[in-house]
Amino acid sequence: MSKNNDSFMVTIKDHKTVEHSAPRTLLETIELHQIEIQYHCREGFCGACRSKLIKGDVEYTTDPLAYIDDEEILPCCCIPTTNIEIELAK
Amino acid sequence: MKYTTFNQVNNNPLTEPMFFGNPVNVARYDQQKHQIFEKLIEKQISFFWRPEEVDVSKDRVDFQKLSDSEKHIFISNLKYQTLLDSIQGRSPNIAFLPIISIPELETWVETWSFFETIHSRSYTHILRNLFGDPSSIFNDIVENAEIKKRAADISQYYDDLIFATQLWQTLGEGTHLVNGVNHTISMRELKKKLYLCMNSVNALEAIRFYVSFACTFAFAERELMEGNSKIIRLIARDENLHLTSTQHILNLWAKGKDDPEMAEIAEECKEQATQIFLNAVEQEKQWAEFLFQHGSMIGLNKEILCQYVEFIANHRMSAIGLGQPFDVKSNPLPWMNNYLSSDNVQVAPQESEISSYLVGQIDSEVNADDFGDFDL
């Protein structure tokens, strides 16, 4: 488990690099910086926020139920555990 | 293969495909071939709700204040939703259960269908509140040409699969003459019908529901028909879960993680699957036109609604590898997300008008007599 005071850099392709700090989810960090991202359930079961993880690692805070491909993540229920680079769905 | 309600072959369910293997025998969930269905069952059960928990009485007053064109939008959508859930309350059971081969998927389909019946009961709850006698509304569902057109398109894939399965289970593979018509039944054709049917179900829960959801939430944005909106939010949350399950089935097939023949079929029928989605989008746009034929409502018109259908279709289609055929970059109805978020669904009983919830299920009354035969 990551420590609570961990903060990592999140590079969002075609947008900017933002800082993520616990206990926010990755989705909340992205929203905090006014970057448009699609979401519905915010609990990992609908898949609306599905994004591509280009570099780095994340950890799930809730077991994701929505279908995600090998290189995809659900920002609504995960937190970075390293600096990461992601691409949001168009 | 003849269907049996308890297959006596001592098979290993962990090596069965999702469909068209041995019929399921023991309903066991300690081990799963595809764990996801067990997780979906648990999530769905945790969502359990009853329409009577939501007080819709204020909607009756609101409804009287709506303009005629708004009443047309509201009632037409309810009719359409009633149709969709009438189909979904029975069809996955009838079409899929006879051909499912793993227990966790069998139970998922039963759980899924059961929740669709709760949705159907909700529409009665809503309509009974608005009209003393809702019969004319229900009767119109089987008479209204706009609704019938959609019903035919949705039920066609189910009916096709059900009929072919019945022939296969009674007569086996081969060419069968039934009532003067020849039907050729092969496993490959059955699997194709299943694949197309699953795509049609996915499109139904991914796209078809959303035009009506948008209208419901547009009323709620104006603080109108809020009881109805609360119910539709609960329905939308369930539908999102159902959608996830068919996305999983389609992707398990396409990625070759289940029946290898289904991976071939997914490739072969990609064009047809795409067409199912494009047809659903087209029909929903026509539905938007029908809804707004007597005039728009505040906050929503035909154009925005059609853009939203394209936006949602892009998302849903890319989730199952069908690409993004429409050119819509951002969400034309951003407020929709607030209503589709499950954070906003669960409410404390004291905060909303929940008229009945279960208390005192256990008899907690204790009298002195109860200690009569008690010795220290």
Side-chain angles (χ1 to χ4, degrees), chain B residues 262-295:
Chain B
M262 288 308 286
E264 288 170 30
I265 289 170
E267 196 53 46
E268 197 181 311
C269 298
K270 201 170 179 176
E271 202 64 35
Q272 277 168 282
T274 307
Q275 207 48 54
I276 287 174
F277 277 84
L278 297 180
N279 286 346
V281 168
E282 210 36 61
Q283 287 187 353
E284 289 312 300
K285 288 181 180 171
Q286 287 168 12
W287 179 250
E289 184 147 0
F290 167 73
L291 288 178
F292 295 123
Q293 64 179 346
H294 304 303

Side-chain angles (χ1 to χ4, degrees), chain B residues 139-275:
Chain B
N139 290 339
D140 188 53
I141 296 171
V142 276
E143 279 163 17
N144 184 312
E146 289 297 322
I147 293 179
K148 278 170 79 174
K149 210 157 70 185
R150 281 156 187 79
D153 199 62
I154 299 162
S155 51
Q156 159 204 339
Y157 293 97
Y158 274 127
D159 294 352
D160 221 25
L161 173 64
I162 291 166
F163 183 65
T165 303
Q166 285 171 344
L167 286 184
W168 174 66
Q169 288 183 333
T170 48
L171 303 166
E173 293 187 58
T175 303
H176 310 297
L177 186 68
V178 180
N179 295 333
V181 184
N182 265 320
H183 300 275
T184 303
I185 300 296
S186 69
M187 188 39 73
R188 184 86 178 185
E189 279 310 306
L190 278 167
K191 286 183 178 177
K192 273 190 198 170
K193 287 184 198 303
L194 169 64
Y195 178 75
L196 294 179
C197 183
M198 199 58 76
N199 274 284
S200 158
V201 178
N202 187 262
L204 187 161
E205 305 199 290
I207 300 171
R208 289 189 192 271
F209 270 108
Y210 281 78
V211 166
S212 325
F213 288 166
C215 293
T216 298
F217 300 143
F219 281 115
E221 282 283 284
R222 293 160 55 201
E223 297 177 5
L224 291 170
M225 314 304 286
E226 287 180 305
N228 175 71
S229 159
K230 259 181 209 161
I231 287 182
I232 300 296
R233 264 156 136 178
L234 291 160
I235 292 177
R237 181 177 66 169
D238 294 338
E239 292 307 338
N240 246 329
L241 205 59
H242 305 165
L243 170 65
T244 287
S245 79
T246 51
Q247 282 179 348
H248 272 285
I249 294 172
L250 290 168
N251 282 320
L252 284 169
W253 283 336
K255 311 261 174 196
K257 290 178 184 169
D258 191 69
D259 177 354
E261 196 178 11
M262 288 308 286
E264 288 170 30
I265 289 170
E267 196 53 46
E268 197 181 311
C269 298
K270 201 170 179 176
E271 202 64 35
Q272 277 168 282
T274 307
Q275 207 48 54

Side-chain angles (χ1 to χ4, degrees), chain A residues 36-43 45-46 48 50 63 65-67 69-70 89-90, chain B residues 36 39 43 47 240 244 247-248 251 255 311 315 319 330-331 337-338 340-342:
Chain A
E36 190 184 324
I37 176 165
Q38 175 68 358
Y39 70 85
H40 284 168
C41 76
R42 307 181 77 90
E43 263 185 25
F45 66 82
C46 80
R50 184 185 293 110
D63 190 16
L65 295 189
Y67 179 83
D69 226 330
D70 295 337
K90 296 257 164 21
Chain B
I36 182 66
K39 291 181 184 171
K43 190 77 175 172
F47 284 174
N240 246 329
T244 287
Q247 282 179 348
H248 272 285
N251 282 320
K255 311 261 174 196
F311 172 78
H315 265 266
S330 60
N331 185 354
N337 290 352
N338 300 331
L340 296 167
S341 153
S342 60

Side-chain angles (χ1 to χ4, degrees), chain B residues 21-22 42 46 49 74 109 115 117 122 127 176 184 194 212 236 369:
Chain B
N22 277 295
E42 294 196 342
S46 79
W49 59 281
F74 187 85
V109 168
F115 274 78
T117 66
S122 303
L127 284 168
H176 310 297
T184 303
L194 169 64
S212 325
D369 314 348

Side-chain angles (χ1 to χ4, degrees), chain A:
Chain A
M1 284 300 278
S2 52
K3 289 186 282 313
N4 265 355
N5 56 354
D6 282 353
S7 84
F8 296 105
M9 299 313 287
V10 178
T11 305
I12 304 164
K13 202 178 164 206
D14 303 322
H15 291 277
K16 54 188 174 186
T17 299
V18 299
E19 192 182 347
H20 171 91
S21 345
R24 268 193 279 277
T25 63
L26 182 55
L27 178 66
E28 287 164 346
T29 296
I30 295 167
E31 287 174 333
L32 191 71
H33 293 86
Q34 272 98 49
I35 296 164
E36 190 184 324
I37 176 165
Q38 175 68 358
Y39 70 85
H40 284 168
C41 76
R42 307 181 77 90
E43 263 185 25
F45 66 82
C46 80
C49 63
R50 184 185 293 110
S51 304
K52 199 177 264 175
L53 180 66
I54 302 168
K55 227 180 355 199
D57 286 306
V58 297
E59 177 180 282
Y60 283 96
T61 52
T62 310
D63 190 16
L65 295 189
Y67 179 83
I68 34 175
D69 226 330
D70 295 337
E71 71 280 17
E72 288 175 336
I73 53 166
L74 294 177
C76 73
C77 57
C78 78
I79 49 169
T81 52
T82 63
N83 290 341
I84 60 169
E85 190 180 336
I86 60 170
E87 184 180 358
L88 306 182
K90 296 257 164 21

Side-chain angles (χ1 to χ4, degrees), chain B residues 111-129:
Chain B
T111 309
W112 162 19
S113 296
F114 170 61
F115 274 78
E116 304 287 12
T117 66
I118 296 181
H119 303 174
S120 296
R121 299 181 62 80
S122 303
Y123 304 130
T124 297
H125 178 60
I126 293 167
L127 284 168
R128 217 164 19 195
N129 169 62

Side-chain angles (χ1 to χ4, degrees), chain B residues 250 312 325 375:
Chain B
L250 290 168
I312 207 99
D375 285 320

